Amino acid sequence: MSTVTDARRRFQLAVVAGSAVMLSLAAVLSALADARAVWRPEVSGPVLPDWSSAVASAREIEIVGDEGFTLVETDGVWRMPSRDGYPVRPERLAALDAYLASLVFEGARTDNPQRLGRLGLAEPGDVDGGTLIEVRDDAGDIRAELILGEVRDPLVYVRRPGRSRAYAALSGDGAARALDLLPADSWLDLDFLALGTSDIARVDIQPETGPAYRLERAASSSRNFSLRRPAGWQSITAAAGNGPAATLGRVRFRDVRAADRLGGEFVAHHTAETFTGLRVRIDVKALGETRWALITATPLTDDAQAEAAAVNATANGWAYLMSDLTIDRLIRPLDRIADPGEVSTDAP
């Protein structure tokens, strides 16, 4: 009986010892897994070491974040296909080039996919997602790609697409700078029309409803525009016409499309003339609830020829989407700024 009992005890001790070994092994493996997740290998040098050659061969740049769009180089000009090939602002491309060329590694960070969102490096389009930049050559081959995450001065967090390892980086000046790649319209020159409020001498407006009218002032130093046409109407206040008259002093459009593909119909127009002799006409086209501007510039003097040519070089062939605020000012009905005179019922 004693021999059986001793054997049972030895067996139980062996089981307990084995369990302890297994638990210890599990703890070690768990610790190793955690250590791997926070292990930060040494890393240094440029984030995109081959960036200069990638830029030289670049023919297409895709940017994906909350929205996605593509830039394509054609005959030396970068354009946005989703906007019917409207040219991209060169200074934006220069800023992107300088920024990515300057990025250098500061160090590695987590490679746990569950933690990438904390650094703004989740998949582009997801919550806490990063912004993907992908550069391709004329054969469609990827020459450079990177996901940009959060900027926490002086660092910006980055990772390679398809990989979970995150890195911290610095730009060339020793700190991270936020590079706003979105929205898509930030890549387009949509605020090129700026006549200068003090330079506008007169405007002629044909609203969608009601009579056409003219606002005018004698000099750039004059504070208010006066209502010159039609006869018999009186401005509600001395400054009532300033809003419509000064609309083209500076305007930012919301979007752009090729004019010959827009459709719709013309419903109003606004023509402004400057003291230097530049005339700019906006023909307003209605497409559903939206209103689009087709722009034509005409020089009335020799001094205005260069300005007119610059406006036409940008605007010719394009239609520009206007905001509700711009439309409200640009073609405001006359009865919102003036009252009609009394109509006499006496016989002549």
Side-chain angles (χ1 to χ4, degrees):
M1 180 67 69
S2 176
T3 301
V4 174
T5 300
D6 290 343
R8 183 181 294 117
R9 286 177 180 174
R10 285 194 297 270
F11 176 74
Q12 290 172 341
L13 289 173
V15 170
V16 171
S19 298
V21 169
M22 293 300 294
L23 289 173
S24 297
L25 179 59
V28 170
L29 292 175
S30 177
L32 288 173
D34 290 342
R36 182 179 180 278
V38 299
W39 175 62
R40 299 178 180 180
E42 293 297 325
V43 63
S44 62
V47 172
L48 295 171
D50 298 324
W51 177 248
S52 59
S53 63
V55 169
S57 62
R59 295 296 179 269
E60 185 175 300
I61 301 173
E62 185 174 8
I63 298 174
V64 180
D66 294 336
E67 62 175 312
F69 57 93
T70 302
L71 314 176
V72 175
E73 188 268 339
T74 305
D75 298 328
V77 178
W78 283 89
R79 302 178 181 276
M80 188 175 291
S82 62
R83 300 303 190 273
D84 293 333
Y86 193 75
V88 172
R89 292 165 54 189
E91 65 271 21
R92 290 282 281 155
L93 286 166
L96 176 64
D97 178 16
Y99 185 80
L100 294 181
S102 72
L103 286 180
V104 293
F105 286 116
E106 185 275 338
R109 296 297 186 264
T110 181
D111 73 344
N112 186 337
Q114 304 302 318
R115 298 178 181 176
L116 292 176
R118 302 177 186 179
L119 303 178
L121 288 173
E123 286 300 305
D126 292 348
V127 176
D128 297 322
T131 301
L132 169 67
I133 303 167
E134 192 170 270
V135 178
R136 305 186 188 97
D137 59 22
D138 54 6
D141 296 329
I142 296 175
R143 298 301 307 273
E145 56 181 350
L146 189 68
I147 296 176
L148 294 174
E150 284 190 5
V151 173
R152 299 178 187 173
D153 192 36
L155 303 174
V156 59
Y157 295 100
V158 302
R159 72 176 175 92
R160 308 285 187 187
R163 302 182 186 179
S164 59
R165 170 65 67 185
Y167 298 89
L170 299 169
S171 62
D173 56 9
R177 292 177 290 108
L179 184 65
D180 295 325
L181 299 173
L182 304 171
D185 64 19
S186 68
W187 288 83
L188 308 174
D189 186 6
L190 299 179
D191 55 0
F192 64 92
L193 191 57
L195 302 186
T197 301
S198 62
D199 293 330
I200 298 174
R202 69 189 58 84
V203 298
D204 288 290
I205 299 174
Q206 173 59 70
E208 289 193 47
T209 58
Y213 60 97
R214 168 173 287 188
L215 297 165
E216 192 172 16
R217 59 179 172 178
S220 59
S221 59
S222 301
R223 176 176 298 180
N224 299 320
F225 285 82
S226 299
L227 179 62
R228 298 302 187 195
R229 300 176 186 169
W233 288 70
Q234 297 294 323
S235 295
I236 296 172
T237 67
N242 290 353
T247 305
L248 299 189
R250 185 171 188 84
V251 60
R252 175 173 174 78
F253 300 107
R254 300 303 183 192
D255 211 339
V256 62
R257 292 292 187 275
D260 60 2
R261 294 185 48 185
L262 185 65
E265 60 181 7
F266 291 105
V267 294
H269 64 77
H270 175 118
T271 302
E273 294 180 11
T274 69
F275 288 106
T276 59
L278 175 65
R279 174 184 291 164
V280 175
R281 178 181 171 111
I282 305 290
D283 287 297
V284 179
K285 182 174 274 192
L287 183 64
E289 296 300 316
T290 63
R291 297 295 181 268
W292 298 74
L294 279 72
I295 305 167
T296 306
T298 303
L300 304 179
T301 65
D302 290 343
D303 292 340
Q305 288 185 357
E307 290 181 273
V311 171
N312 289 331
T314 299
N316 186 36
W318 299 101
Y320 298 86
L321 178 65
M322 292 180 283
S323 68
D324 291 342
L325 177 60
T326 296
I327 282 294
D328 177 69
R329 297 178 64 203
L330 187 79
I331 52 173
R332 185 171 294 170
L334 177 59
D335 60 11
R336 288 182 54 195
I337 67 167
D339 291 323
E342 294 184 2
V343 179
S344 174
T345 57
D346 295 336

